[in-house]
Amino acid sequence: MYIKLKTNLLAAVLLCFVFVAQAQQKKDITLEDIYRNGTFRAESVYGVNWMKDGQFYSSTVPDEKNRVYDIVKYNVTTGQPVSTIIEGENLVPAGSNTPIQFDDYTFSSDEQKVLFATESEQIYRRSSKADFYIYDIPTRKLTKLSSGGKQMYASFSPDAKRVAFARENNMFVVDLSNMQETQITTDGKFNSIINGYSDWVYEEEFSFAKGFHWSPDGKKIAYYTFDETNVPEFNMQKWGELYPQDNKFKYPKAGEANSKVKVSVYDVASGKVVKMDTGNEADVYIPRIKWTNNPNLLSIQKMNRLQNTLEILHANATTGKADVVLKETDKAYIDVTDDLTYLNDGKNFIHSSEKDGYNHLYLYNMNGKLVRQITDGNWEVSEFVGYDEKGDRLYYMSTEVSPLDRHLYSISSKGKNKKRLTDKAGTHRVNMSNDFKYYLDYYSAANVPPTVSLHTAKDGKLIKVLEDNQKLKNTLAQYDIAKQEFFNMNTADGTKLNGWMIKPTDFDPNKKYPVLMFVYGGPGSQTVTNSWGGNNYLWYQTLADKGMIIVSVDNRGTGARGAEFKKLTYANLGKYEIEDQIEAAKWLGNQPYVDKDRIGIWGHSFGGYMTLLGLTKGDGIFRAGISVAPVTNWRFYDSIYTERYLKTPQENAAGYDQNSPLSFADKLQGNLLLIHGTGDDNVHFQNAVAMQDALISANKQFESFYYPNRNHGVGGGVTLLHRFKMMTDFLERKLINPEKDGNL
């Protein structure tokens, strides 16, 4: 009996150990988890519209029963739903039995009408067209905005009486009292004249597609006209049919002709159009237009082609006469922002500038005379959120704590009583209510998934957590996750660079590991931030599981560290950036736990360009590299971006050629995988073709892969899964287990 009990007890103890071991065993992340199954998808709070009564906001909520989305009103102070403003099942157009499935919605100023976008079609990065509907809340009537074809950027007038939109290169306005449609312009023509929205290069590089704005009183519309007649045409072929289809569009490459741009104002009552006087210079940019609080005074920002001079003009909307009120110059270039803000007092405006070496906020009177600098210090205002005139508080995002973090601050217009409103270390992004009483804080940090919370703006006090992503956190807890750690290193000239590193969870300091460096490195960018890394972070977990260290370093030329650090690369794009990445690779190679003969590099877009420079100018420091959608010569890229940093090819030929991977194809060392999408309207497939041709001419072996019809993101469907499987396989063959591939 004793022996039997002892045996049973021993069995129970052993079984317990088995259960504990199983409980402690972690799962391995797979590429299917990341790119197909959505296992690590982070939730957020979408479709938030702050309402004119600052106590409420609206958001879309799925109605699972009817397979539609409702628009629900929430109490800000409690975060609880108050009422359903619109039942999705009621959004049934005339002649249909099925509710519309909307992609976006906008309230009129009186919140009695809602503009719905449906059947949206993406054009380029920011442009789209859709069928719009007007919903009258009191009568529950849904009316199609126009039957003449899909519309672009439909927008309520501030008095809620009309909606303006663009279509097929022309501007239109609809009177909502009788749904009468009036065509404002008639000269619009494909690949020639565009009214009411931007051409390709403005959309991509000045970050806007909608090209019209209502005056504050709703009586006028200011709009852009782009004459792209003389802009050279680029042709991409779309594959799949028996005969490939041509896709031709105007794309000004560096040094080539840009669109001629003008700004006009349309008077709704009279139908009269007045052209604004922006000067006689033909080769200029107008990157922003904005109404002041005077309904007859339009603000226009104008830049020279090299983008080192910015002028703010105030134009009389009735006569078109314009005066320069502020002129700023820079020895390198000036970044365009949306920070320009006109105060309700009609006497002053707020403008941001890097003129003291860091981006800060300044107060000017309407004549352009400086009243005072509001913020100052050796840190950046990364975003101007807005100005609460009643409380005299400016809200802005800042790098004051660290270039790696973003925090919300408030300060008075006199530059006094500065207050930090976000406390957690990491990256905060805010959505401020219209009355500046509340904000949503979209927060994340390294190794910390995003959360969304509601706060009072005056003190940053937490009201409610709206999304904690606990499901994602619970999922991550089941996996063996390697931590992302930050570090600093110094270059030979003493410049401190910021970096992060991910080591295998079973890291042994006595072993030597292969390293993969991730790079972007472009002007004003950052890869080293204290924020959730998303899919890339999770892919790096799979590489760490295979015994690899992953590293990223922000080189000179990147952002958040002042104008001098960022603009050092001016006219020599690529030179200092790749020098820093090479130094970082050498620094890593000197660490006792790194195998200096197995260091790789990869990047996308500008990072793809950097990868090619690393393999051609790195003198063998990089054993392998993956270059995705790279620029291979800046002569191939667009005018606005390229000339901002390099001048034109006519003025600075050496700056283009001395840092082009094409010029150094014969110096290629290491294993290259070159990937590009043939449908890339941004960095054209031409870049990859030219690089391959140069490598072939130099008799250099390499691997390449093209994705038919994929755009610059090289995604869509299972494309990402396919691409990252291929990239992982390449790294296993060339860096992780090179002996199996005969690469020792």
Side-chain angles (χ1 to χ4, degrees):
M1 175 71 77
Y2 174 75
I3 295 174
K4 185 176 181 180
L5 283 174
K6 186 174 181 180
T7 303
N8 288 342
L9 180 61
L10 179 61
V13 170
L14 291 174
L15 187 61
C16 182
F17 276 121
V18 170
F19 284 141
V20 169
Q22 288 177 341
Q24 290 177 340
Q25 187 175 3
K26 299 281 189 175
K27 300 179 184 178
D28 291 330
I29 294 175
T30 67
L31 296 178
E32 286 76 12
D33 287 332
I34 304 169
Y35 298 108
R36 182 163 61 192
N37 303 333
T39 304
F40 305 102
R41 184 183 297 114
E43 299 298 333
S44 190
V45 177
Y46 304 105
V48 171
N49 272 310
W50 294 102
M51 307 193 74
K52 64 179 182 179
D53 183 335
Q55 294 297 311
F56 304 98
Y57 68 90
S58 71
S59 185
T60 55
V61 176
D63 180 341
E64 302 292 349
K65 179 181 177 182
N66 295 293
R67 296 183 179 180
V68 294
Y69 279 88
D70 299 333
I71 296 179
V72 177
K73 184 177 183 179
Y74 287 84
N75 186 305
V76 172
T77 57
T78 65
Q80 296 299 315
V82 175
S83 62
T84 299
I85 303 173
I86 299 175
E87 297 277 1
E89 61 197 80
N90 293 334
L91 299 175
V92 181
S96 174
N97 297 319
T98 307
I100 61 172
Q101 299 291 329
F102 60 90
D103 307 309
D104 195 13
Y105 72 99
T106 308
F107 280 99
S108 59
S109 58
D110 59 5
E111 296 180 349
Q112 296 301 296
K113 296 180 178 67
V114 179
L115 189 61
F116 288 104
T118 70
E119 303 293 333
S120 297
E121 294 180 28
Q122 195 75 21
I123 302 174
Y124 298 119
R125 188 191 297 265
R126 295 174 178 85
S127 53
S128 62
K129 58 183 178 179
D131 283 321
F132 285 86
Y133 289 83
I134 302 290
Y135 184 76
D136 187 275
I137 295 175
T139 64
R140 297 186 179 180
K141 183 180 180 182
L142 184 70
T143 306
K144 195 170 186 178
L145 177 63
S146 176
S147 298
K150 288 190 173 183
Q151 307 91 53
M152 303 171 71
Y153 322 117
S155 305
F156 282 114
S157 60
D159 58 10
K161 294 180 179 179
R162 299 174 179 85
V163 170
F165 64 87
R167 179 175 58 218
E168 295 178 353
N169 296 46
N170 281 309
M171 281 287 301
F172 300 79
V173 64
V174 175
D175 188 326
L176 298 182
S177 66
N178 54 20
M179 298 305 294
Q180 180 178 340
E181 182 175 302
T182 301
Q183 186 166 342
I184 297 173
T185 65
T186 57
D187 60 341
K189 184 179 179 182
F190 177 70
N191 272 3
S192 180
I193 304 295
I194 304 171
N195 294 293
Y197 55 99
S198 67
D199 65 358
W200 186 95
V201 72
Y202 266 62
E203 175 182 338
E204 178 67 25
E205 305 302 355
F206 286 142
S207 305
F208 74 90
K210 176 186 172 184
F212 67 89
H213 301 277
W214 284 99
S215 63
D217 59 3
K219 295 181 179 180
K220 297 181 177 69
I221 303 172
Y223 65 92
Y224 280 90
T225 298
F226 291 83
D227 181 351
E228 54 179 4
T229 304
N230 295 324
V231 177
E233 196 171 63
F234 192 81
N235 184 29
M236 297 192 310
Q237 288 191 307
K238 184 175 181 180
W239 305 91
E241 301 296 329
L242 183 60
Y243 291 90
Q245 301 299 305
D246 287 338
N247 176 20
K248 297 181 179 180
F249 61 103
K250 299 286 189 169
Y251 184 107
K253 291 182 182 286
E256 300 295 321
N258 282 318
S259 292
K260 296 176 181 177
V261 185
K262 68 178 181 179
V263 177
S264 303
V265 173
Y266 170 78
D267 184 271
V268 175
S270 67
K272 183 179 179 181
V273 174
V274 177
K275 179 180 177 294
M276 301 295 102
D277 180 10
T278 56
N280 297 321
E281 309 97 326
D283 206 6
V284 297
Y285 296 119
I286 303 178
R288 294 289 186 272
I289 61 174
K290 181 175 187 173
W291 287 96
T292 69
N293 290 308
N294 177 343
N296 198 50
L297 190 65
L298 182 68
S299 172
I300 301 172
Q301 296 185 45
K302 185 175 81 169
M303 302 185 85
N304 62 333
R305 177 141 183 174
L306 290 184
Q307 300 168 71
N308 54 20
T309 300
L310 171 69
E311 293 178 338
I312 297 177
L313 287 66
H314 287 170
N316 184 303
T318 302
T319 66
K321 184 180 183 300
D323 297 308
V324 177
V325 297
L326 182 64
K327 183 176 182 178
E328 185 175 338
T329 60
D330 191 281
K331 62 183 180 181
Y333 57 88
I334 296 172
D335 286 316
V336 173
T337 73
D338 291 308
D339 295 342
L340 180 63
T341 302
Y342 288 88
L343 276 54
N344 291 327
D345 62 11
K347 299 177 181 179
N348 300 284
F349 64 86
I350 295 166
H351 174 61
S352 65
S353 172
E354 292 180 310
K355 64 183 181 179
D356 79 342
Y358 293 86
N359 193 54
H360 283 296
L361 300 173
Y362 297 80
L363 183 69
Y364 293 87
N365 68 22
M366 290 297 284
N367 294 320
K369 182 180 179 181
L370 178 64
V371 177
R372 71 180 63 90
Q373 183 172 346
I374 301 171
T375 63
D376 68 272
N378 294 340
W379 46 268
E380 303 263 293
V381 171
S382 57
E383 179 190 356
F384 177 43
V385 177
Y387 178 46
D388 173 16
E389 291 193 50
K390 290 182 179 179
D392 187 29
R393 303 298 293 171
L394 287 85
Y395 293 90
Y396 62 92
M397 307 304 296
S398 163
T399 65
E400 185 169 357
V401 172
S402 165
L404 278 60
D405 289 10
R406 296 293 186 274
H407 285 281
L408 175 65
Y409 287 78
S410 69
I411 196 171
S412 77
S413 61
K414 292 182 173 58
K416 306 294 184 182
N417 303 316
K418 182 170 69 175
K419 182 184 294 185
R420 177 177 155 188
L421 299 169
T422 49
D423 55 358
K424 292 181 181 177
T427 299
H428 299 263
R429 181 174 59 85
V430 304
N431 180 354
M432 185 73 69
S433 66
N434 299 328
D435 60 2
F436 296 97
K437 290 183 179 178
Y438 306 96
Y439 65 87
L440 294 178
D441 181 7
Y442 294 77
Y443 164 78
S444 75
N447 312 304
V448 180
T451 60
V452 185
S453 52
L454 181 65
H455 300 255
T456 50
K458 65 178 181 180
D459 52 16
K461 182 180 178 182
L462 174 67
I463 296 173
K464 185 180 181 181
V465 175
L466 303 178
E467 176 58 66
D468 61 7
N469 266 306
Q470 191 58 50
K471 180 181 177 182
L472 174 56
K473 293 173 184 176
N474 292 341
T475 299
L476 289 167
Q478 301 172 37
Y479 293 81
D480 203 11
I481 303 294
K483 297 297 183 183
Q484 180 179 338
E485 302 170 343
F486 294 103
F487 68 91
N488 304 121
M489 58 154 287
N490 290 324
T491 63
D493 67 356
T495 303
K496 185 179 80 170
L497 301 179
N498 297 320
W500 57 251
M501 182 181 296
I502 294 174
K503 300 173 183 175
T505 53
D506 60 353
F507 175 74
D508 181 349
N510 297 311
K511 291 177 61 177
K512 288 188 176 292
Y513 294 87
V515 170
L516 177 67
M517 294 177 63
F518 167 57
V519 62
Y520 184 77
S525 67
Q526 282 181 280
T527 57
V528 184
T529 59
N530 191 6
S531 61
W532 176 246
N535 283 351
N536 275 5
Y537 170 76
L538 294 163
W539 179 51
Y540 297 146
Q541 300 297 322
T542 70
L543 299 180
D545 284 345
K546 297 176 186 295
M548 174 173 273
I549 294 174
I550 304 90
V551 174
S552 191
V553 174
D554 274 338
N555 48 253
R556 287 172 292 177
T558 55
R561 294 183 60 180
E564 183 179 354
F565 186 86
K566 180 176 69 173
K567 296 178 180 179
L568 172 74
T569 63
Y570 181 65
N572 260 316
L573 206 60
K575 172 180 167 55
Y576 298 104
E577 298 95 320
I578 199 58
E579 286 179 3
D580 287 354
Q581 294 297 327
I582 291 170
E583 279 213 55
K586 290 178 178 177
W587 179 86
L588 286 165
N590 288 329
Q591 305 309 304
Y593 49 83
V594 170
D595 183 345
K596 65 181 178 61
D597 295 322
R598 288 192 292 160
I599 298 176
I601 185 170
W602 95 277
H604 192 141
S605 193
F606 198 102
Y609 162 71
M610 291 284 285
T611 297
L612 292 175
L613 285 182
L615 291 175
T616 55
K617 299 184 78 173
D619 196 26
I621 189 71
F622 298 107
R623 180 174 186 141
I626 303 174
S627 174
V628 184
V631 172
T632 59
N633 188 312
W634 289 106
R635 295 174 186 270
F636 295 152
Y637 200 52
D638 75 60
S639 56
I640 294 179
Y641 181 95
T642 310
E643 294 169 13
R644 181 186 302 153
Y645 308 120
L646 275 177
K647 305 180 184 179
T648 65
Q650 295 87 339
E651 296 170 287
N652 183 26
Y656 282 76
D657 298 330
Q658 289 177 0
N659 297 298
S660 165
L662 298 181
S663 302
F664 302 94
D666 62 331
K667 301 287 194 301
L668 178 76
Q669 295 187 57
N671 302 283
L672 168 64
L673 172 59
L674 178 59
I675 299 171
H676 217 117
T678 68
D680 192 336
D681 62 280
N682 185 2
V683 179
H684 302 145
F685 184 53
Q686 171 190 26
N687 285 272
V689 171
M691 190 69 211
Q692 294 194 29
D693 193 41
L695 290 170
I696 293 167
S697 297
N699 196 27
K700 293 291 185 178
Q701 295 296 315
F702 61 96
E703 297 179 32
S704 69
F705 197 93
Y706 62 85
Y707 282 91
N709 305 325
R710 278 24 172 228
N711 63 17
H712 191 53
V714 200
V718 297
T719 303
L720 284 180
L721 176 59
H722 185 279
R723 175 156 67 88
F724 278 88
K725 276 187 174 181
M726 177 172 55
M727 291 164 61
T728 303
D729 173 70
F730 177 81
L731 294 172
E732 287 187 300
R733 289 188 289 112
K734 303 302 182 182
L735 282 181
I736 299 173
N737 296 304
E739 67 279 359
K740 292 184 179 180
D741 198 50
N743 277 286
L744 282 176

